[in-house]
Amino acid sequence: MKQKPQNFNSTAAKDPIGKQKRRVKKKSGKKREKEEGIITPLIEKYWFQRYNLFSKYDEGIKMDEEGWFSVTPEEIAIRHAEKCGGDELVIDCFSGVGGNAIQFAELCPFVVAIDIDPQKVNMARNNAKVYGVEDSIDFIVGDFFQLAPSLKGDVVFLSPPWGGPSYKRIGNFTMDLLKPKDGYSIFQAAQRITPKIVMFLPRNMNLNEVEELSWLSSPPLSIEIEENYLEGSFKGITVCFGGSA
Ligand code: ADP
């Protein structure tokens, strides 16, 4: 029988470029984040997609549990920014941990990011720093409905709460299921700021109701609907009212 040479290093022989070492390093990163309570059982599925959410995740991105469910994947946030690109001032009205605001800031001169939760705003500010765009974003802690009458901007972006991951189980998602108020009320508050409104809505959204929103203006606003996919999976729809880029 052949004997292994004494100094035979099976890891180095099978893995000359050290892939195994890298794998071990990643695993310990996950272990650490689990210990720190960053990865809870509920968000584990989202953690595996972390680089789809923020390509710079490893550079210090911060998110809470709600943030993991609700942040717009980066590729789709870039698409939203392209839709609003060229507009001087974009208002992101439910900005959460900042996934959209960051991409707006990459393409548009200035962004106002509003969220009612001060912790979300802190995380969004941190995340904007990671991307080096914090100076282009004005972060506001507040209720969009209270702030709306005093806001001025060229385009309003609305990604209102869809009610958490359970939205997927609904066959026909209607405007009244949006939070914190129904979709018509959210849209009307935005209309007082500008007719150019971009909404990110669930993939199972009732399209008749979406079209009805354009009839809240006289003459009716133009409307364009785009489906958004990520790695072949249908994530949501983007609706542009009042002229798109
Ligand atoms: P989802 O249901 O899609 O997971 P969230 O519940 O995470 O969405 O809500 C999205 C964001 O909207 C959250 O960061 C939340 O704090 C924020 N938000 C909720 N109500 C208001 C409001 N009235 N004004 C501004 N931001 C709000």
Side-chain angles (χ1 to χ4, degrees), residues 66-67 69-71 93-97 114-117 120 142-145 159-165 167 179-180:
E66 206 180 47
F69 309 136
S70 57
V71 66
C93 304
F94 302 92
S95 60
V97 296
I114 300 167
D115 202 286
I116 202 163
D117 177 351
K120 291 272 195 327
D143 179 348
F144 165 60
F145 295 96
S159 179
W162 300 355
Y167 80 89
K179 306 265 179 301

PDB file of all heavy atoms in Angstrom, residues 66-67 69-71 93-97 114-117 120 142-145 159-165 167 179-180, ligand 1:
ATOM      1  N   GLU A  66     -36.940  44.542  10.581  1.00  0.00           N
ATOM      2  CA  GLU A  66     -37.886  45.086   9.600  1.00  0.00           C
ATOM      3  C   GLU A  66     -37.159  45.541   8.336  1.00  0.00           C
ATOM      4  O   GLU A  66     -37.640  45.363   7.228  1.00  0.00           O
ATOM      5  CB  GLU A  66     -38.602  46.277  10.235  1.00  0.00           C
ATOM      6  CG  GLU A  66     -39.959  46.560   9.673  1.00  0.00           C
ATOM      7  CD  GLU A  66     -40.587  47.767  10.375  1.00  0.00           C
ATOM      8  OE1 GLU A  66     -39.911  48.806  10.532  1.00  0.00           O
ATOM      9  OE2 GLU A  66     -41.744  47.656  10.758  1.00  0.00           O
ATOM     10  N   GLY A  67     -35.965  46.095   8.554  1.00  0.00           N
ATOM     11  CA  GLY A  67     -35.166  46.582   7.429  1.00  0.00           C
ATOM     12  C   GLY A  67     -34.829  45.461   6.451  1.00  0.00           C
ATOM     13  O   GLY A  67     -34.856  45.652   5.234  1.00  0.00           O
ATOM     14  N   PHE A  69     -36.591  42.851   5.685  1.00  0.00           N
ATOM     15  CA  PHE A  69     -37.725  42.503   4.819  1.00  0.00           C
ATOM     16  C   PHE A  69     -38.019  43.602   3.820  1.00  0.00           C
ATOM     17  O   PHE A  69     -38.471  43.340   2.721  1.00  0.00           O
ATOM     18  CB  PHE A  69     -39.054  42.347   5.599  1.00  0.00           C
ATOM     19  CG  PHE A  69     -39.020  41.451   6.780  1.00  0.00           C
ATOM     20  CD1 PHE A  69     -39.634  41.840   7.964  1.00  0.00           C
ATOM     21  CD2 PHE A  69     -38.403  40.218   6.711  1.00  0.00           C
ATOM     22  CE1 PHE A  69     -39.630  41.014   9.061  1.00  0.00           C
ATOM     23  CE2 PHE A  69     -38.397  39.382   7.806  1.00  0.00           C
ATOM     24  CZ  PHE A  69     -39.010  39.781   8.990  1.00  0.00           C
ATOM     25  N   SER A  70     -37.836  44.848   4.262  1.00  0.00           N
ATOM     26  CA  SER A  70     -38.453  45.916   3.473  1.00  0.00           C
ATOM     27  C   SER A  70     -37.478  46.690   2.587  1.00  0.00           C
ATOM     28  O   SER A  70     -37.933  47.441   1.732  1.00  0.00           O
ATOM     29  CB  SER A  70     -39.217  46.880   4.389  1.00  0.00           C
ATOM     30  OG  SER A  70     -38.359  47.392   5.357  1.00  0.00           O
ATOM     31  N   VAL A  71     -36.164  46.490   2.763  1.00  0.00           N
ATOM     32  CA  VAL A  71     -35.243  47.275   1.937  1.00  0.00           C
ATOM     33  C   VAL A  71     -35.367  46.836   0.464  1.00  0.00           C
ATOM     34  O   VAL A  71     -35.515  45.648   0.159  1.00  0.00           O
ATOM     35  CB  VAL A  71     -33.783  47.176   2.447  1.00  0.00           C
ATOM     36  CG1 VAL A  71     -33.219  45.782   2.296  1.00  0.00           C
ATOM     37  CG2 VAL A  71     -32.886  48.184   1.736  1.00  0.00           C
ATOM     38  N   CYS A  93     -40.104  59.078   0.729  1.00  0.00           N
ATOM     39  CA  CYS A  93     -41.010  59.358   1.858  1.00  0.00           C
ATOM     40  C   CYS A  93     -41.078  58.287   2.930  1.00  0.00           C
ATOM     41  O   CYS A  93     -41.554  58.549   4.030  1.00  0.00           O
ATOM     42  CB  CYS A  93     -42.409  59.623   1.311  1.00  0.00           C
ATOM     43  SG  CYS A  93     -42.406  60.944   0.101  1.00  0.00           S
ATOM     44  N   PHE A  94     -40.663  57.061   2.619  1.00  0.00           N
ATOM     45  CA  PHE A  94     -40.646  55.968   3.622  1.00  0.00           C
ATOM     46  C   PHE A  94     -39.283  55.298   3.475  1.00  0.00           C
ATOM     47  O   PHE A  94     -39.174  54.166   2.997  1.00  0.00           O
ATOM     48  CB  PHE A  94     -41.779  54.961   3.336  1.00  0.00           C
ATOM     49  CG  PHE A  94     -43.153  55.590   3.332  1.00  0.00           C
ATOM     50  CD1 PHE A  94     -43.717  56.071   2.147  1.00  0.00           C
ATOM     51  CD2 PHE A  94     -43.881  55.719   4.510  1.00  0.00           C
ATOM     52  CE1 PHE A  94     -44.980  56.658   2.139  1.00  0.00           C
ATOM     53  CE2 PHE A  94     -45.148  56.302   4.511  1.00  0.00           C
ATOM     54  CZ  PHE A  94     -45.692  56.767   3.320  1.00  0.00           C
ATOM     55  N   SER A  95     -38.239  56.010   3.868  1.00  0.00           N
ATOM     56  CA  SER A  95     -36.895  55.642   3.410  1.00  0.00           C
ATOM     57  C   SER A  95     -36.278  54.437   4.113  1.00  0.00           C
ATOM     58  O   SER A  95     -35.281  53.894   3.637  1.00  0.00           O
ATOM     59  CB  SER A  95     -35.965  56.849   3.512  1.00  0.00           C
ATOM     60  OG  SER A  95     -35.904  57.282   4.843  1.00  0.00           O
ATOM     61  N   GLY A  96     -36.833  53.989   5.252  1.00  0.00           N
ATOM     62  CA  GLY A  96     -36.308  52.801   5.930  1.00  0.00           C
ATOM     63  C   GLY A  96     -34.807  52.904   6.153  1.00  0.00           C
ATOM     64  O   GLY A  96     -34.291  53.957   6.547  1.00  0.00           O
ATOM     65  N   VAL A  97     -34.083  51.815   5.877  1.00  0.00           N
ATOM     66  CA  VAL A  97     -32.633  51.798   6.136  1.00  0.00           C
ATOM     67  C   VAL A  97     -31.828  52.395   4.971  1.00  0.00           C
ATOM     68  O   VAL A  97     -30.605  52.322   4.964  1.00  0.00           O
ATOM     69  CB  VAL A  97     -32.124  50.384   6.499  1.00  0.00           C
ATOM     70  CG1 VAL A  97     -32.739  49.914   7.811  1.00  0.00           C
ATOM     71  CG2 VAL A  97     -32.401  49.387   5.380  1.00  0.00           C
ATOM     72  N   ILE A 114     -37.136  60.568   4.335  1.00  0.00           N
ATOM     73  CA  ILE A 114     -38.010  60.700   5.519  1.00  0.00           C
ATOM     74  C   ILE A 114     -38.359  59.317   6.062  1.00  0.00           C
ATOM     75  O   ILE A 114     -38.732  58.420   5.305  1.00  0.00           O
ATOM     76  CB  ILE A 114     -39.327  61.410   5.125  1.00  0.00           C
ATOM     77  CG1 ILE A 114     -39.035  62.807   4.570  1.00  0.00           C
ATOM     78  CG2 ILE A 114     -40.294  61.481   6.308  1.00  0.00           C
ATOM     79  CD1 ILE A 114     -40.227  63.433   3.868  1.00  0.00           C
ATOM     80  N   ASP A 115     -38.265  59.168   7.377  1.00  0.00           N
ATOM     81  CA  ASP A 115     -38.803  57.964   8.022  1.00  0.00           C
ATOM     82  C   ASP A 115     -39.249  58.339   9.429  1.00  0.00           C
ATOM     83  O   ASP A 115     -38.619  59.167  10.089  1.00  0.00           O
ATOM     84  CB  ASP A 115     -37.783  56.818   8.064  1.00  0.00           C
ATOM     85  CG  ASP A 115     -38.473  55.468   8.218  1.00  0.00           C
ATOM     86  OD1 ASP A 115     -38.957  55.159   9.340  1.00  0.00           O
ATOM     87  OD2 ASP A 115     -38.570  54.731   7.213  1.00  0.00           O
ATOM     88  N   ILE A 116     -40.313  57.696   9.856  1.00  0.00           N
ATOM     89  CA  ILE A 116     -40.905  58.024  11.162  1.00  0.00           C
ATOM     90  C   ILE A 116     -40.093  57.425  12.316  1.00  0.00           C
ATOM     91  O   ILE A 116     -40.193  57.880  13.450  1.00  0.00           O
ATOM     92  CB  ILE A 116     -42.378  57.536  11.192  1.00  0.00           C
ATOM     93  CG1 ILE A 116     -43.180  58.287  12.236  1.00  0.00           C
ATOM     94  CG2 ILE A 116     -42.472  56.029  11.365  1.00  0.00           C
ATOM     95  CD1 ILE A 116     -44.691  58.175  12.046  1.00  0.00           C
ATOM     96  N   ASP A 117     -39.254  56.429  11.989  1.00  0.00           N
ATOM     97  CA  ASP A 117     -38.526  55.697  13.025  1.00  0.00           C
ATOM     98  C   ASP A 117     -37.085  56.225  13.116  1.00  0.00           C
ATOM     99  O   ASP A 117     -36.293  56.047  12.189  1.00  0.00           O
ATOM    100  CB  ASP A 117     -38.563  54.203  12.637  1.00  0.00           C
ATOM    101  CG  ASP A 117     -37.772  53.318  13.586  1.00  0.00           C
ATOM    102  OD1 ASP A 117     -37.054  53.857  14.447  1.00  0.00           O
ATOM    103  OD2 ASP A 117     -37.864  52.084  13.445  1.00  0.00           O
ATOM    104  N   LYS A 120     -34.283  53.818  12.275  1.00  0.00           N
ATOM    105  CA  LYS A 120     -34.132  53.551  10.831  1.00  0.00           C
ATOM    106  C   LYS A 120     -33.320  54.687  10.199  1.00  0.00           C
ATOM    107  O   LYS A 120     -32.454  54.456   9.358  1.00  0.00           O
ATOM    108  CB  LYS A 120     -35.492  53.481  10.135  1.00  0.00           C
ATOM    109  CG  LYS A 120     -36.321  52.293  10.495  1.00  0.00           C
ATOM    110  CD  LYS A 120     -35.989  51.129   9.575  1.00  0.00           C
ATOM    111  CE  LYS A 120     -37.029  50.040   9.638  1.00  0.00           C
ATOM    112  NZ  LYS A 120     -37.704  49.816  10.892  1.00  0.00           N
ATOM    113  N   GLY A 142     -39.694  61.857  10.807  1.00  0.00           N
ATOM    114  CA  GLY A 142     -41.026  62.463  10.878  1.00  0.00           C
ATOM    115  C   GLY A 142     -42.062  61.639  10.155  1.00  0.00           C
ATOM    116  O   GLY A 142     -41.745  60.687   9.433  1.00  0.00           O
ATOM    117  N   ASP A 143     -43.321  62.050  10.358  1.00  0.00           N
ATOM    118  CA  ASP A 143     -44.460  61.392   9.721  1.00  0.00           C
ATOM    119  C   ASP A 143     -44.691  62.050   8.357  1.00  0.00           C
ATOM    120  O   ASP A 143     -44.930  63.261   8.283  1.00  0.00           O
ATOM    121  CB  ASP A 143     -45.681  61.573  10.639  1.00  0.00           C
ATOM    122  CG  ASP A 143     -46.942  60.958  10.066  1.00  0.00           C
ATOM    123  OD1 ASP A 143     -46.956  60.582   8.869  1.00  0.00           O
ATOM    124  OD2 ASP A 143     -47.919  60.857  10.811  1.00  0.00           O
ATOM    125  N   PHE A 144     -44.617  61.253   7.319  1.00  0.00           N
ATOM    126  CA  PHE A 144     -44.758  61.785   5.957  1.00  0.00           C
ATOM    127  C   PHE A 144     -46.037  62.622   5.809  1.00  0.00           C
ATOM    128  O   PHE A 144     -46.023  63.686   5.187  1.00  0.00           O
ATOM    129  CB  PHE A 144     -44.749  60.636   4.949  1.00  0.00           C
ATOM    130  CG  PHE A 144     -45.234  61.035   3.593  1.00  0.00           C
ATOM    131  CD1 PHE A 144     -44.594  62.025   2.854  1.00  0.00           C
ATOM    132  CD2 PHE A 144     -46.367  60.441   3.042  1.00  0.00           C
ATOM    133  CE1 PHE A 144     -45.049  62.410   1.605  1.00  0.00           C
ATOM    134  CE2 PHE A 144     -46.833  60.814   1.792  1.00  0.00           C
ATOM    135  CZ  PHE A 144     -46.180  61.813   1.075  1.00  0.00           C
ATOM    136  N   PHE A 145     -47.137  62.177   6.430  1.00  0.00           N
ATOM    137  CA  PHE A 145     -48.416  62.872   6.240  1.00  0.00           C
ATOM    138  C   PHE A 145     -48.396  64.257   6.885  1.00  0.00           C
ATOM    139  O   PHE A 145     -49.012  65.187   6.380  1.00  0.00           O
ATOM    140  CB  PHE A 145     -49.567  62.021   6.782  1.00  0.00           C
ATOM    141  CG  PHE A 145     -49.725  60.761   6.001  1.00  0.00           C
ATOM    142  CD1 PHE A 145     -49.139  59.588   6.453  1.00  0.00           C
ATOM    143  CD2 PHE A 145     -50.391  60.745   4.789  1.00  0.00           C
ATOM    144  CE1 PHE A 145     -49.240  58.420   5.710  1.00  0.00           C
ATOM    145  CE2 PHE A 145     -50.496  59.583   4.041  1.00  0.00           C
ATOM    146  CZ  PHE A 145     -49.915  58.418   4.508  1.00  0.00           C
ATOM    147  N   SER A 159     -42.327  54.133  -1.380  1.00  0.00           N
ATOM    148  CA  SER A 159     -42.270  52.683  -1.201  1.00  0.00           C
ATOM    149  C   SER A 159     -42.883  52.429   0.167  1.00  0.00           C
ATOM    150  O   SER A 159     -42.183  52.161   1.145  1.00  0.00           O
ATOM    151  CB  SER A 159     -40.821  52.202  -1.282  1.00  0.00           C
ATOM    152  OG  SER A 159     -40.772  50.820  -1.080  1.00  0.00           O
ATOM    153  N   PRO A 160     -44.225  52.570   0.246  1.00  0.00           N
ATOM    154  CA  PRO A 160     -44.860  52.485   1.568  1.00  0.00           C
ATOM    155  C   PRO A 160     -44.863  51.053   2.085  1.00  0.00           C
ATOM    156  O   PRO A 160     -44.669  50.113   1.309  1.00  0.00           O
ATOM    157  CB  PRO A 160     -46.297  52.961   1.279  1.00  0.00           C
ATOM    158  CG  PRO A 160     -46.531  52.698  -0.156  1.00  0.00           C
ATOM    159  CD  PRO A 160     -45.197  52.744  -0.843  1.00  0.00           C
ATOM    160  N   PRO A 161     -45.051  50.870   3.396  1.00  0.00           N
ATOM    161  CA  PRO A 161     -45.073  49.515   3.950  1.00  0.00           C
ATOM    162  C   PRO A 161     -46.118  48.629   3.276  1.00  0.00           C
ATOM    163  O   PRO A 161     -47.256  49.049   3.066  1.00  0.00           O
ATOM    164  CB  PRO A 161     -45.427  49.752   5.425  1.00  0.00           C
ATOM    165  CG  PRO A 161     -44.995  51.147   5.719  1.00  0.00           C
ATOM    166  CD  PRO A 161     -45.172  51.907   4.448  1.00  0.00           C
ATOM    167  N   TRP A 162     -45.674  47.423   2.928  1.00  0.00           N
ATOM    168  CA  TRP A 162     -46.562  46.435   2.292  1.00  0.00           C
ATOM    169  C   TRP A 162     -47.165  45.490   3.332  1.00  0.00           C
ATOM    170  O   TRP A 162     -47.837  44.533   2.969  1.00  0.00           O
ATOM    171  CB  TRP A 162     -45.792  45.585   1.257  1.00  0.00           C
ATOM    172  CG  TRP A 162     -45.169  46.337   0.129  1.00  0.00           C
ATOM    173  CD1 TRP A 162     -45.290  47.676  -0.141  1.00  0.00           C
ATOM    174  CD2 TRP A 162     -44.329  45.795  -0.910  1.00  0.00           C
ATOM    175  NE1 TRP A 162     -44.570  48.000  -1.269  1.00  0.00           N
ATOM    176  CE2 TRP A 162     -43.974  46.866  -1.757  1.00  0.00           C
ATOM    177  CE3 TRP A 162     -43.850  44.523  -1.193  1.00  0.00           C
ATOM    178  CZ2 TRP A 162     -43.153  46.690  -2.873  1.00  0.00           C
ATOM    179  CZ3 TRP A 162     -43.027  44.344  -2.302  1.00  0.00           C
ATOM    180  CH2 TRP A 162     -42.688  45.423  -3.133  1.00  0.00           C
ATOM    181  N   GLY A 163     -46.838  45.713   4.596  1.00  0.00           N
ATOM    182  CA  GLY A 163     -47.377  44.847   5.655  1.00  0.00           C
ATOM    183  C   GLY A 163     -46.490  43.642   5.940  1.00  0.00           C
ATOM    184  O   GLY A 163     -46.994  42.613   6.406  1.00  0.00           O
ATOM    185  N   GLY A 164     -45.194  43.745   5.649  1.00  0.00           N
ATOM    186  CA  GLY A 164     -44.272  42.645   5.944  1.00  0.00           C
ATOM    187  C   GLY A 164     -44.364  41.533   4.901  1.00  0.00           C
ATOM    188  O   GLY A 164     -45.152  41.641   3.952  1.00  0.00           O
ATOM    189  N   PRO A 165     -43.581  40.438   5.098  1.00  0.00           N
ATOM    190  CA  PRO A 165     -43.485  39.386   4.065  1.00  0.00           C
ATOM    191  C   PRO A 165     -44.806  38.676   3.764  1.00  0.00           C
ATOM    192  O   PRO A 165     -44.940  38.027   2.736  1.00  0.00           O
ATOM    193  CB  PRO A 165     -42.482  38.387   4.659  1.00  0.00           C
ATOM    194  CG  PRO A 165     -41.837  39.081   5.812  1.00  0.00           C
ATOM    195  CD  PRO A 165     -42.745  40.170   6.263  1.00  0.00           C
ATOM    196  N   TYR A 167     -47.418  39.746   2.618  1.00  0.00           N
ATOM    197  CA  TYR A 167     -48.109  40.279   1.421  1.00  0.00           C
ATOM    198  C   TYR A 167     -48.116  39.241   0.293  1.00  0.00           C
ATOM    199  O   TYR A 167     -49.020  39.209  -0.533  1.00  0.00           O
ATOM    200  CB  TYR A 167     -47.455  41.589   0.949  1.00  0.00           C
ATOM    201  CG  TYR A 167     -46.195  41.384   0.132  1.00  0.00           C
ATOM    202  CD1 TYR A 167     -46.244  41.235  -1.255  1.00  0.00           C
ATOM    203  CD2 TYR A 167     -44.943  41.316   0.748  1.00  0.00           C
ATOM    204  CE1 TYR A 167     -45.086  41.023  -1.999  1.00  0.00           C
ATOM    205  CE2 TYR A 167     -43.796  41.098   0.023  1.00  0.00           C
ATOM    206  CZ  TYR A 167     -43.867  40.955  -1.348  1.00  0.00           C
ATOM    207  OH  TYR A 167     -42.729  40.726  -2.076  1.00  0.00           O
ATOM    208  N   LYS A 179     -49.810  50.491   4.060  1.00  0.00           N
ATOM    209  CA  LYS A 179     -49.748  51.114   5.385  1.00  0.00           C
ATOM    210  C   LYS A 179     -48.947  52.424   5.260  1.00  0.00           C
ATOM    211  O   LYS A 179     -48.208  52.573   4.314  1.00  0.00           O
ATOM    212  CB  LYS A 179     -49.041  50.173   6.368  1.00  0.00           C
ATOM    213  CG  LYS A 179     -49.638  48.775   6.451  1.00  0.00           C
ATOM    214  CD  LYS A 179     -50.615  48.705   7.586  1.00  0.00           C
ATOM    215  CE  LYS A 179     -51.301  47.374   7.747  1.00  0.00           C
ATOM    216  NZ  LYS A 179     -52.078  46.845   6.649  1.00  0.00           N
ATOM    217  N   PRO A 180     -48.980  53.342   6.158  1.00  0.00           N
ATOM    218  CA  PRO A 180     -49.834  53.405   7.348  1.00  0.00           C
ATOM    219  C   PRO A 180     -51.250  53.889   7.025  1.00  0.00           C
ATOM    220  O   PRO A 180     -52.108  53.863   7.900  1.00  0.00           O
ATOM    221  CB  PRO A 180     -49.116  54.420   8.240  1.00  0.00           C
ATOM    222  CG  PRO A 180     -48.373  55.299   7.287  1.00  0.00           C
ATOM    223  CD  PRO A 180     -48.033  54.461   6.106  1.00  0.00           C
TER     224      PRO A 180
HETATM  225  P1  ADP B   1     -42.825  46.593   4.820  1.00  0.00           P
HETATM  226  O1  ADP B   1     -44.205  46.345   5.340  1.00  0.00           O
HETATM  227  O2  ADP B   1     -42.781  46.720   3.319  1.00  0.00           O
HETATM  228  O3  ADP B   1     -41.830  45.610   5.391  1.00  0.00           O
HETATM  229  P2  ADP B   1     -42.045  48.622   6.690  1.00  0.00           P
HETATM  230  O4  ADP B   1     -43.093  48.242   7.710  1.00  0.00           O
HETATM  231  O5  ADP B   1     -40.637  48.267   7.000  1.00  0.00           O
HETATM  232  O6  ADP B   1     -42.417  48.053   5.260  1.00  0.00           O
HETATM  233  O7  ADP B   1     -42.159  50.196   6.452  1.00  0.00           O
HETATM  234  C1  ADP B   1     -41.296  50.894   5.598  1.00  0.00           C
HETATM  235  C2  ADP B   1     -40.786  52.114   6.305  1.00  0.00           C
HETATM  236  O8  ADP B   1     -41.821  53.102   6.397  1.00  0.00           O
HETATM  237  C3  ADP B   1     -40.341  51.823   7.743  1.00  0.00           C
HETATM  238  O9  ADP B   1     -38.987  52.209   7.863  1.00  0.00           O
HETATM  239  C4  ADP B   1     -41.259  52.666   8.617  1.00  0.00           C
HETATM  240  O10 ADP B   1     -40.607  53.212   9.749  1.00  0.00           O
HETATM  241  C5  ADP B   1     -41.654  53.780   7.630  1.00  0.00           C
HETATM  242  N1  ADP B   1     -42.909  54.472   7.976  1.00  0.00           N
HETATM  243  C6  ADP B   1     -44.069  53.935   8.410  1.00  0.00           C
HETATM  244  N2  ADP B   1     -44.997  54.903   8.572  1.00  0.00           N
HETATM  245  C7  ADP B   1     -44.425  56.080   8.235  1.00  0.00           C
HETATM  246  C8  ADP B   1     -44.864  57.451   8.168  1.00  0.00           C
HETATM  247  N3  ADP B   1     -46.122  57.803   8.499  1.00  0.00           N
HETATM  248  N4  ADP B   1     -44.003  58.402   7.733  1.00  0.00           N
HETATM  249  C9  ADP B   1     -42.738  58.068   7.391  1.00  0.00           C
HETATM  250  N5  ADP B   1     -42.247  56.807   7.432  1.00  0.00           N
HETATM  251  C10 ADP B   1     -43.075  55.821   7.848  1.00  0.00           C
END
